[in-house]
Amino acid sequence: MAESAQTSAWARWVARVVMRRPFAIVAFALTVGLIAFTFVRQLTINQQLRALLPDDFPSVVHLAELEQRIVNPTDLYLTIRSPSREANVAYGEKLAAELGKREDIRYVIYHQDPAFFRDNSLLYADLDDLLDLRKRVIDGIQEQIRRETSMLGDSSDGEEPSALDELSEDKIRERYKLDTTFSEYFETDGGQLVVVRARPTRPHIDFAFTTKIVGEVEALIRELDPESYHPDIEVKVAGSYVDHAHSIENGVVGGTAVSIGLLILILALYFRGARAIPMVLVPLVLAALVALAIAQQAYGELNLVSAFMFAVLLGLGIDFMVHILARYRDERIGRGLPQEQALAHALSTTGMSTLTGALSTALAFAVLSVVDFRGISQFGVIASIGVLLTYLGAIFVMPAMAVLVEKVRPWKPRAGATKTAEVAATPASPKSFKPWVTITGFVVLVGVTAVGAVVGQGVEFEYDLNEIDAQPDPLTPQEMARKEQYRRAVGSASTTAPAVALTADLEQSREVYRQLRALLDMSPKAFTAFTGLPSLRPTSAPGDDDPFLAHAGGVGSANLGLDEEPEPKPEPEPEPDKPDTDEDDFDDEDDFDDDSMFEEDPRFVELGKKAEELNQLDPEVARQLKAYGPERLQIMHDRIIDVASIHAFVPEHQELKLEVIRDIRKWIDRKRGAFKGEAAKKLEQWEPYLKVDRPITIGDLPEWVRVQFQDANGELGKFVVVWSRGTKADYRESQYIYRGFISLETSSGTVPVAADYFVITEVFDTLKADGPVVVGLALIALVISVTVLFRSFAAPVVVLVTVVCALLWLTGVMAVQGWKFHFLNIIALPLLIGMGQDDAIHLLHRKNELGSVRGALRKTSGVLVFTTVTTQIGFGGMLGVDHPGLSSLGWVAVVGMLLCLIASVSVVPILLGLGQLLAKQLGFSSRQRPSGPPK
C-alpha cells in the first residue's frame, strides 16, 4: 500500500477518527470552549507590580498585611479655588460633610480645630523651656517688687518696660517654639485655595474602584453647585486617584480585537478565500479559551506581562494550524488526494515537524515556570499549556472543521493532479548551494553577528519605572503650578508615597517613632559624631513646608537632644542691682525683708539638671539605633523627611512639665499684684495656658487626629508612617531606601515596613537573578528537545546557532534604535528562544524530507513568512496600548520574530551547506539522509 508506506499509523488513525466523527469532535470542542468561556469571564488583570512576585516575598507580605490592617494609606484631595476664602471654606464644609456620608470613604479631614493644642500648648514645650519661663516669671515679679519698693520712689514708673511686659503670648510662642497656631484648614495663598482630604476605602491602584469614585465625586461636586458660593469658584479632584486612574484593560480588549481582525484578513489573503477562516479560528480560539480558563483556576488573574495572553496564544497557535492546513490543501488541490488520505499524509509529514516545534516550544516555555519572577513564570506556564492545546486543536478540531466545511465548499483538485502523495526527493543528489555562495554567506553571517554583538553591548537598561509605566498626560506649566499649590496646602511630604511600619502594639509604635524622630532631628554634625560617617542629608531641613509635620513633629515631638546647633534662645535681660534699702511687704501675705523667697528651689535645680539630660539622646534610643550599623543609619538619616505617629501628639515627660507649670501658676497666684498695666493685660492672654493640670493621653486627642491613626479594626496607633525623599519609581533610588527601611528593630521584635515602591526593588532584583537562569534553561530545553526529536547532534547545533544569531542581531537593532532593556521587554528574550526555534525546526524537517535545502526553502518559505507574521500580530496587540513598557515588549517581540525568520532562512542553509563542504573535505559520504523526527 503506497499510502500506508508514506504515512504513519497514528496519522492514519487520527484521519480515520476525524472522517467518521467530525460533528462529534466539533461539538465536543465547542462545549468545552463554552465552559471555558464562563471561567475566562472571571479572569481579571492585576496591574500591580506585586503581582509579578511570589506571595512570600517580603514586600508582598508586608503590603498584604498593610491592606488587611490599614486598607489604604493614600488620600483623595479636592481642591477649592476662588478669590474668596469665605466662599471656599463654606463650600468645603458642605463638600466634606457629603463625602463623610459615603461608605467608600473612611474619613474626611477638613476643619482641624486647634483648640485642644492651644489649651495644652505648654505641655508641648520642652522641659528646659518651661524652666526658663518659670525663671522669667519669678525674675519679672522680683523686678516689679523692687521697683515698687525702691527708695527712689516711682518717678520712673511707666517709663521703662518691665520684664513682665515681655511675657506676652506671641513672645512666649516665639521663644519656646509653641507651634500650635497652625491653620484650621488646609489652605494657602490667603485662603484662595482650600483643600479637603478624604481617605477612600480602597487604594488608588484598584483601577475599577478609582474610576468609579473619581467619577462619582466629580458628579457630587457638580451637584453641590459650587458657583452658587462664588461665580469664579473651581473645584477639582487631585492626587494619586486622578494621576493613576489608568487601566490597560481597554487596551487589552482593543489590541486583541485588532489582532483577531488582522489574523482573519491574513488568513483570507494567504488561502485566497474565506474557506480557511473558520477551519483555523474556531479551534484556535477554543484552545486559547481553555488555556485561559486553566489560568483562571490556577492564578485567578493575569499580571502585567500575561495580560495579552489571548492574543499571544492566537499568534503562537495559528502557526500549527496554518502549517498543517497548508499541507492538507496542497495534498487536496495539488495532488488531488481524497480527504482521508490527504489528511493522513499532512499529519504524517508536516504534522510531525509541527509536533517537533510544538513540543520544543512548549518545553522552552515550561522551563520558565521554575523562576520566582511571575511575569516570566506565569507567562511560561500559560503559553506552554496553550501551545499544546493549539496543537491538539490543529490535529483534531481543525481537520474536523475542514471536513465539515468541505461538505459545503470542497477544495477541487487542479487539472493534472497526480492523485499520489508527494514523495521525498532522492537524497543521492541533493541540490545545494555552490561552495562560494556558502562560504560568502558564512563570512557575511559571522561579520553581521559580530557587529550585532559589539553594537548590542551599548544597549542600556532602564531603571526608572516612570519611563515604562503608563503615565497621565504631561502637565502644562500652569497645571504644574496649581499642583504645587495644593501640595503646599496639604504638605508636600504627605503627597508622596509613604512607607508604613506595621507595629504590634502601642509600645512598639512608640519605640519606632522615637527612633525615626531621633534620626529626623539629628543634625549632620551630630550624625557624624554618633556614627563616625559623614551625613549625606541635604542642607535644607526636611519637612519644613509640611503643615502635617507642624502638627505631628512640631507640636507633639519629644526633644531628643540631637541638634548640636539649636537656635539660641534670647538671653535674659540683666537683673537690676539690688537696692540697699529694706523692702516692705508687697501684699498682706508675704514678708520681703530679704530675698530668701527668690532663692532657687533645690527641686527646680534638680529639674534643670534633668532637662539637660533629656536634651541628650536617650540611651535606649541610642542603643537601638546603633544596632542598625553606621552604613544603614547613613541611608536612613539621608532619606527620611517626615514621620507621623499617634505618639507624636502625646508630649513626653508630662509629669515633670506639669510640676513646673503648677509652680508658675503658684507664683502668679501669690504675686498677681506684681502684674500691672501692660503686663497685666498680657497675662490675661497667656495665663489660660497654665490651667492644664493633667497629662494628655491618646484618648484625649481630637477626633480629627485619632481617626488618621485608626486601623481597619478600630485600633489606634499601631502603625507609623514614614516619608522619604527620592524618586521612588527609579530602581536605584527605591533599592537604596529599601536597604534602609524594609524592616525596623525594637526591643520586642522586628517591625515590617510596607511600601509600594519596595516591590520595585524586589522585582528588579528577582529579574536580575532569574534572567540568566531563564535564558540558560530555555537554551538547554531547546538543545534537548531538538536532539531527542531529530535524533541528531547536528540539528540542535543548527537551531541553537540560528536563535543565538537572531538574538544578537536584535541587541544590535535595539542599540541603533536607542531602545533600552527594562524589566518588561527583557522577557522577550526567553520567549523568542521558545518561539524563534520553530521556523528553523520546520526548515530542517522539510530539508530532511525532500533532501534539498533549496527545495525546502521553496516549499516552506511562504508558510514561514505567514506564521511569523501571525505571531507578530499576536504580540502586535501590545503596540497600541497606552503603556510604554508593554508597547516596548511588543516591539521587541515583533522585531525579534522577524529576525528569527531571517536567521532561519539564512543561517540554516549556510550551516547545512558548510556541513556538506566539511564532510566532503573530510571524506565523509553525504549520500545518507540525516535522521528526522520519528514517525
Side-chain angles (χ1 to χ4, degrees), residues 741-909:
F741 293 96
I742 185 60
S743 63
L744 299 170
E745 300 299 327
T746 68
S747 60
S748 56
T750 300
V751 175
V753 180
D756 285 328
Y757 54 86
F758 285 167
V759 175
I760 298 174
T761 297
E762 293 184 357
V763 164
F764 277 82
D765 287 345
T766 303
L767 192 58
K768 285 197 297 185
D770 288 347
V773 175
V774 166
V775 173
L777 288 175
L779 292 175
I780 291 172
L782 180 153
V783 171
I784 293 175
S785 60
V786 176
T787 300
V788 171
L789 294 169
F790 275 90
R791 293 177 294 176
S792 163
F793 292 107
V797 173
V798 172
V799 176
L800 179 63
V801 172
T802 300
V803 172
V804 171
C805 286
L807 295 182
L808 292 176
W809 297 348
L810 175 62
T811 59
V813 171
M814 292 182 66
V816 172
Q817 290 295 115
W819 296 351
K820 294 182 179 181
F821 276 122
H822 50 73
F823 82 96
L824 288 175
N825 67 14
I826 202 170
I827 298 170
L829 297 184
L831 300 184
L832 286 172
I833 295 173
M835 298 180 297
Q837 62 181 317
D838 200 43
D839 290 343
I841 289 174
H842 275 288
L843 189 56
L844 276 176
H845 185 272
R846 197 68 160 153
K847 182 265 177 187
N848 288 345
E849 183 182 343
L850 299 176
S852 167
V853 177
R854 296 174 66 179
L857 282 173
R858 234 181 3 254
K859 291 289 185 180
T860 61
S861 57
V863 177
L864 294 181
V865 170
F866 178 84
T867 54
T868 297
V869 171
T870 56
T871 304
Q872 289 176 316
I873 289 174
F875 280 94
M878 299 181 182
L879 300 182
V881 69
D882 188 17
H883 191 291
L886 289 177
S887 179
S888 173
L889 171 59
W891 277 113
V892 172
V894 166
V895 173
M897 285 305 302
L898 175 61
L899 294 176
C900 285
L901 170 65
I902 295 173
S904 295
V905 299
S906 60
V907 176
V908 171

Side-chain angles (χ1 to χ4, degrees), residues 68-85:
Q68 182 180 5
R69 288 176 50 180
I70 302 177
V71 181
N72 170 37
T74 309
D75 285 330
L76 177 71
Y77 299 103
L78 296 102
T79 62
I80 307 168
R81 289 182 172 88
S82 84
S84 170
R85 179 181 186 276

